[in-house]
Every structure is written in C-alpha cells, then in structure tokens.
Amino acid sequence: RQGSELAGWAMGRWTYEGIDLNHNFADLNTALWDAEDNDLVPHEFPNHYIPIPEYYTFANATVAPETRAVIAWMQRYPFVLSANLHGGELVVTYPFDMSRTYWKARELTPTPDDGVFRWLATVYATANLAMASGERRRCHYDDFARLGNIINGADWHTVAGSMNDFSYLHTNCFEITVELSCDKFPHASELPEEWENNRESLLLFMEQVHRGIKGVVRDSDTEQGIPNAIISVDGINHDVRT
C-alpha cells in the first residue's frame, strides 16, 4: 500500500513474531572454526553434517516455526543444490555468509568448495537478463557489475545463522542467494518482466546439479547401496555423504 518505491530495506524483513528468518538458522560456523583452530577437524569434530547445538533445539529458543519447518524439510530430503531468492539488490551471493574474524563487518570468507560456489553464482548471474544488461545501473552504492555480479556473502556483509551456511554445514546442499531486483516490492505489472529476467537463469542453475562426481557407493559383496558413506576429496576439507 505504501508503494514499492517508498519501502525501506527493513520493510517486510521480520515475521509477526519479530524474527528475521534470514538470520534465524543455527550458527554452525563458529563451532567449526573453533574446532579447526584447535586441530580437532576432522578427527574429533566433523567437517560436514555438523550437528545442531543443543541450545537451538530448546522449546524457548528464538527459532521461528518457519525455520524449524525448513530444517525438518532439509533433513527429510537429501537436497544437493538450492537457491533462495531475495530482493533489494542485483547480485548473487555464495557462502560463507559469516566472516571468520568475528569483529569484522565484512571479510572474504570462502568455503573449501569456493570454486564450485563461484561457478554456481556465475552461471546464474551471467544468464540473468537484468544483471547481464549493458544498461545495468547500480541499485545502491556497490558496483557489483565490475565483480561479475557475484560476491562472497561475508565479503558484502557478515550474517550469522544464514540458510546458505547452514545448508552447507549441516546437509549435502550447496545453496546460493539471488538478489533479484533493485526493487524489493515490484508492482504486479512488472512481474512478467522479472520472470523473463530470471527464467533462463533458473533453468541453467538447476542443470548444474549434473556437474561433478555422482554415482552410487555399493557394497562389493552384496552390490547394495551404502547409506551415509562419507566421501572425501583430496584438498577439500569438506566431505559429503551418500
């Protein structure tokens, strides 16, 4: 009702209960980095499938029902690729979203799979008509076009408890954030253009699920698939599971 151009960055950000869903997932980064600093990874502390801290599971924890539902959904289905869609900028961000130096507002903080994340973000950004346009203008202060319209989340602004970081550290899922438009609340008449801007990007992004190594880990005697087999890759300190 205020009009899309009059809405500030905070408009629509919080739920009725006053919770920002974008920062509401469990912070698994801190536990991992503390364990790494103490040389506990991966022998005493895992580098993947990091468990949710006990405090986060308490009934009185400040966790939205929407967040709990999404976590239960992630645990029920073995997603491997995901994107969450935001508004207010034109850029694709990738993990980590939380800076490793806790007191820094922004700091390049790549994951062990940084090359894959940069590829996924670039695939989306280069096929997005609004981002790739030669007439592309800045939304605010940051000139993301000169960066290829992608950025490491923590190098933009640090966020603890993001869905991207949680997906990567608690499940097998590689997730990015797509900031779809300078306008957080486009008019209904503008939605067809927004769809055209993103249609090819969404299709190309989904096709990336077929990249990389894939297959079935089987028992050599029974030929049965082995659930929860840990797959490690030399030089990448982040395993995945079947």
Side-chain angles (χ1 to χ4, degrees), residues 49 56 61-62 190 195 238-239:
Y49 270 51
Y56 190 85
T62 308
E190 297 171 305
W195 167 241
H238 181 86
D239 302 334

Side-chain angles (χ1 to χ4, degrees), residues 30-241:
T30 299
L32 172 66
W33 294 335
D34 286 349
E36 285 182 347
D37 291 342
N38 289 292
D39 295 323
L40 303 177
V41 179
H43 309 294
E44 296 180 47
F45 191 92
N47 66 8
H48 72 301
Y49 270 51
I50 297 173
I52 296 174
E54 187 180 12
Y55 74 84
Y56 190 85
T57 65
F58 294 157
N60 63 350
T62 308
V63 183
E66 295 94 333
T67 310
R68 293 189 191 277
V70 168
I71 291 174
W73 189 43
M74 291 174 168
Q75 293 171 336
R76 196 160 62 246
Y77 295 99
F79 297 118
V80 295
L81 183 66
S82 178
N84 60 74
L85 309 179
H86 294 212
E89 256 297 353
L90 262 178
V91 69
V92 182
T93 77
Y94 55 91
F96 285 119
D97 286 333
M98 180 179 177
S99 60
R100 184 152 186 162
T101 307
Y102 74 92
W103 50 266
K104 285 193 174 181
R106 57 188 296 176
E107 176 187 42
L108 179 63
T109 310
T111 69
D113 290 288
D114 188 58
V116 176
F117 276 116
R118 289 177 58 83
W119 170 263
L120 292 172
T122 299
V123 163
Y124 199 103
T126 52
N128 180 280
L129 297 183
M131 294 183 195
S133 170
E135 300 175 359
R136 158 126 162 64
R137 62 180 178 85
R138 296 186 192 184
C139 290
H140 303 291
Y141 306 108
D142 296 298
D143 183 8
F144 290 117
R146 67 182 180 82
L147 304 174
N149 298 304
I150 71 169
I151 193 169
N152 171 253
D155 202 26
W156 183 21
H157 58 261
T158 185
V159 172
S162 79
M163 188 171 169
N164 287 355
D165 289 5
F166 181 86
S167 295
Y168 180 66
L169 296 177
H170 185 64
T171 78
N172 279 339
C173 192
F174 283 41
E175 183 166 328
I176 62 172
T177 292
V178 182
E179 299 280 353
L180 292 169
S181 169
C182 298
D183 189 350
K184 282 181 75 76
F185 299 97
H187 296 286
S189 61
E190 297 171 305
L191 294 181
E193 181 180 3
E194 293 295 339
W195 167 241
E196 289 300 325
N197 286 342
N198 288 278
R199 179 176 57 182
E200 189 63 23
S201 293
L202 289 165
L203 292 170
L204 281 175
F205 182 73
M206 286 190 287
E207 288 172 6
Q208 304 315 303
V209 78
H210 298 296
R211 295 187 75 88
I213 299 169
K214 56 184 175 178
V216 179
V217 178
R218 299 184 187 277
D219 183 297
S220 60
D221 294 325
T222 68
E223 291 297 312
Q224 296 297 306
I226 301 177
N228 294 313
I230 297 175
I231 312 298
S232 298
V233 179
D234 267 356
I236 298 179
N237 189 24
H238 181 86
D239 302 334
V240 295
R241 297 193 188 190

